[in-house]
Amino acid sequence: MTIRVVVVDGHTLCRLGLAHVVRAHPDIELAGEADSLAEGRLWLESGDPTVVVIARRLPDGDGLTLASALRTVRPDVGIVVMAPRDGDDALFRAMDLRASAFVDEAAPVAELLAAIRHAAVAPLSFTASDLVGALRRRRGGDLLSAREREVLALLTNGLSIAEIARTMHLSHSTAKTYTARLYEKLGATNRAQALMAALRQGLIRPEEMHATDHPKAAMTAR
C-alpha cells in the first residue's frame, strides 16, 4: 500500500524538508502541501490522503483545530501532529483529539517516518515518544498496576485471554477487563500494537519477544 501524505506546515523550509523526506521513501507518496489552516481545509476537502502531517503552529491558528475537524469527519485518516516538546500538554491534547501520533519538531527523521507508517495502519491508535513516561507523570505514579504487568508478561508469552484467566485464577471477564485497560494505557487496540508499544517504552525487553513467535501469539484477544 502506498501511503498518501499531505503536509500542513506554515514554515516553507520545514514543509519542503518534510516533502523531501517523504519523496525519498517508495512506500510514501506526497499527495499535497498546505501552509495554513485555511489552505489545509480546502486541500483536505478535495483530496484523499492516507495520513496528514499537521504542524501545531500555523500562521492562521492552531493546527490541532484542523486535526480535530479532520478526525470528526474522517476516522480512517491517520493524523500526525508535530509540535515543540515543551512539556506534555501538546502530546496530551493531540491524544485527546484522537490523533494517531505526536512527534517533536526536533525528532529524528526516522521517528517521523515511523509515526507516518503507524498512522497509516492504525489511525485511531495513538503513539508518541515517551508516551508511557508522559502518562506516568500525568498520573503521578507507575503506569501499569501489578496485575496489568502480569497480564503484559502473559500476553508476551503468547497466552490467550482464556489462558490468562486460568493462569491468574480470574474469571474470563476480569482477565478481559485487565487486558482492555492495558491496551488503553499503551494506546493500543490489539495484542500486536500493545507488545510493540510496551517494547518501545521499555516495559518488556527485546529478548522476551521471541515468545510471540508461538502460534498462540497471533490469536485475537477474546
Side-chain angles (χ1 to χ4, degrees), residues 118 122 125-127 131-132 143-144 148-149 151-157 159 161 164 178-205 208-209 212 217 219 221:
H118 164 86
S125 173
F126 184 76
T127 187
L131 176 58
V132 170
L143 174 64
L144 302 182
E148 288 162 350
R149 285 183 177 275
V151 169
L152 176 59
L154 296 174
L155 286 173
T156 304
N157 284 321
L159 274 66
I161 298 297
I164 289 172
Y178 278 127
T179 305
R181 288 177 183 170
L182 174 67
Y183 286 0
E184 181 180 1
K185 288 183 178 182
L186 293 176
T189 58
N190 58 46
R191 179 196 300 266
Q193 290 175 12
L195 294 181
M196 291 307 298
L199 182 63
R200 287 195 303 269
Q201 302 302 332
L203 294 173
I204 56 178
R205 298 186 300 274
E208 296 174 311
M209 293 294 288
T212 61
M219 295 174 64

Side-chain angles (χ1 to χ4, degrees), residues 9-116:
D9 194 317
H11 293 90
T12 302
L13 288 178
C14 292
R15 195 170 64 253
L16 292 176
L18 285 173
H20 175 74
V21 167
V22 165
R23 289 191 186 102
H25 295 268
D27 63 321
I28 303 175
E29 171 188 322
L30 183 65
E33 302 174 42
D35 63 6
S36 65
L37 283 176
E39 187 176 335
R41 289 192 182 98
L42 288 174
W43 205 102
L44 295 173
E45 286 174 1
S46 60
D48 186 28
T50 313
V51 175
V52 182
V53 178
I54 305 173
R56 169 77 189 273
R57 296 183 294 197
L58 294 169
D60 53 349
D62 190 335
L64 289 177
T65 303
L66 180 60
S68 178
L70 178 60
R71 175 55 72 230
T72 300
V73 298
R74 291 294 302 274
D76 59 318
V77 170
I79 301 172
V80 177
V81 174
M82 295 192 68
R85 184 65 181 272
D86 46 0
D88 297 325
D89 288 348
L91 183 154
F92 285 128
R93 283 204 60 197
M95 183 171 71
D96 291 343
L97 290 173
R98 296 185 298 158
S100 313
F102 175 90
V103 178
D104 189 328
E105 287 181 350
V109 170
E111 187 174 323
L112 173 60
L113 291 173
I116 289 172

Side-chain angles (χ1 to χ4, degrees), residues 125-180:
S125 173
F126 184 76
T127 187
S129 175
D130 193 33
L131 176 58
V132 170
L135 289 168
R136 184 179 295 119
R137 288 188 290 275
R138 174 188 255 190
R139 294 185 174 98
D142 290 335
L143 174 64
L144 302 182
S145 68
R147 282 295 208 182
E148 288 162 350
R149 285 183 177 275
E150 189 174 353
V151 169
L152 176 59
L154 296 174
L155 286 173
T156 304
N157 284 321
L159 274 66
S160 67
I161 298 297
E163 290 169 325
I164 289 172
R166 289 195 295 272
T167 301
M168 296 178 66
H169 306 290
L170 302 171
S171 68
H172 188 277
S173 61
T174 300
K176 192 170 183 178
T177 297
Y178 278 127
T179 305

